[in-house]
Structures are given as C-alpha cells and as structure tokens.
Amino acid sequence: MKMACNSKPSMIDFTTMIRPILFATALLSSASCSTAFAPAATAVTTQQQRTSSSTITSLTPLKMSDSPDSPTQLKIQSLVDDNPVLLFMKGSKLFPQCGFSNTACQILQSYNIDFESVDVLADEQIRQGVKDFSQWPTIPQLYVCGEFVGGSDIMIEMYQSGELGEMIEKAKADMV
C-alpha cells in the first residue's frame, strides 16, 4: 500500500515517543547487564545440629554489608550529602557501560541539570557498599537532595508521571 506524498504525519506526543525508546535501550543492553534486575543473591551457610534421632539443618544468612561506620559507608554518605543529584552507575556520564545506566543518564540530561555520577565499576567496595547503603540490589541508583529515589525502572515511571521533574526542580533550586 502506497502513501500519498503530500500526506502529513500525525502528531504524537513526546511521552508516547520516548517510552519505546527507553524500553528498547534497556532491552538492547540487558546482555551486558544481565543481572541488573535479578534479585540479590543471598549467601547462606548450613549448620547441622545433631539431636538424638535426626539431623536438623538450619540456614543462617551471612552478613555481607559493611557497618554504618565503615570507611566505604562514610564515603558514600559524604557523596550523597555533598551532591544534590547523584547517580551511582556503571560507567560515566559520557560513556555509560550499561543500558540501564545509559537510560538513567538520558533522563537526567533531559532536565538540563548538572548531576554528579560515580562509576561503581571503578571501585568494587563502592559497588557493593551502595547496594548495602540503600538496601537496593541493583545499579544504577539515583539520590536527589540526599534521598534515595531508585533505579532506572523507577526513574522511568517517575519521569513519565512528572514526579521526577518536580524533585529535580527542587534540587535545582537548592543548587542556586
């Protein structure tokens, strides 16, 4: 079926256009970030207790997080306190190493805000420490005005609803 050369394309609102782009970006990069949405693995140890008639096996979770006063946790707290908009991500703003981190950067850049980013791939202690700090298992992680917002999936939802824009505007006002 041929379309007429003089037909005009219909108007599509920005939200309808950007949603599939963001979704496709996340999907295309999922091979490099295959664990980004996987639940956090919980390591356990098995302890066996002997009773008179049988063996009872109990599971005890291993403690993997740093104490709140560890140097890593203090460094993360300092970064969160010192930067009104902070993104812990894989890669940098200029060269994201993960599609989810790329999506998060694109959303923040759409607000024309100067945000700070921390490359978690450069420091394994920060990479694990930020997950413990926020009690959130995935990267990227966004903090606005010292408050943990969430990962790229939550950022997309908040972007689409306009809620993230309101938070960013408040952060912009705090920066001035």
Side-chain angles (χ1 to χ4, degrees):
M1 176 178 175
K2 283 190 165 185
M3 294 194 57
C5 291
N6 60 0
S7 66
K8 294 181 181 175
S10 62
M11 294 298 288
I12 300 174
D13 69 294
F14 181 72
T15 303
T16 305
M17 255 178 25
I18 195 74
R19 185 177 301 144
I21 294 169
L22 292 174
F23 181 73
T25 302
L27 272 180
L28 290 173
S29 64
S30 64
S32 64
C33 301
S34 60
T35 60
F37 284 113
T42 305
V44 294
T45 59
T46 303
Q47 296 176 339
Q48 293 185 347
Q49 300 169 345
R50 300 235 183 247
T51 62
S52 59
S53 62
S54 66
T55 301
I56 299 172
T57 301
S58 63
L59 298 177
T60 307
L62 287 176
K63 183 77 173 158
M64 298 199 53
S65 63
D66 289 336
S67 70
D69 296 329
S70 75
T72 302
Q73 294 300 307
L74 292 173
K75 181 177 180 179
I76 293 169
Q77 185 66 57
S78 175
L79 287 166
V80 169
D81 292 343
D82 294 344
N83 297 287
V85 180
L86 177 66
L87 183 66
F88 288 93
M89 62 180 287
K90 294 178 181 177
S92 67
K93 290 189 275 190
L94 297 176
F95 193 62
Q97 296 292 304
C98 168
F100 299 109
S101 293
N102 184 39
T103 298
C105 282
Q106 287 180 3
I107 289 171
L108 292 174
Q109 289 167 349
S110 74
Y111 292 112
N112 294 320
I113 188 164
D114 185 28
F115 66 95
E116 187 65 36
S117 67
V118 176
D119 180 3
V120 300
L121 297 177
D123 187 339
E124 184 59 37
Q125 289 181 328
I126 293 289
R127 184 178 185 172
Q128 184 58 44
V130 74
K131 294 175 185 181
D132 297 334
F133 184 82
S134 64
Q135 298 178 350
W136 189 260
T138 60
I139 303 291
Q141 292 186 10
L142 176 65
Y143 289 81
V144 177
C145 297
E147 179 183 337
F148 175 63
V149 176
S152 64
D153 53 340
I154 292 172
M155 289 176 67
I156 291 169
E157 290 175 18
M158 292 177 71
Y159 174 79
Q160 291 171 344
S161 72
E163 190 178 351
L164 185 60
E166 293 171 10
M167 288 180 82
I168 297 295
E169 289 303 317
K170 289 178 186 172
K172 277 183 180 179
D174 290 345
M175 289 176 169
V176 176

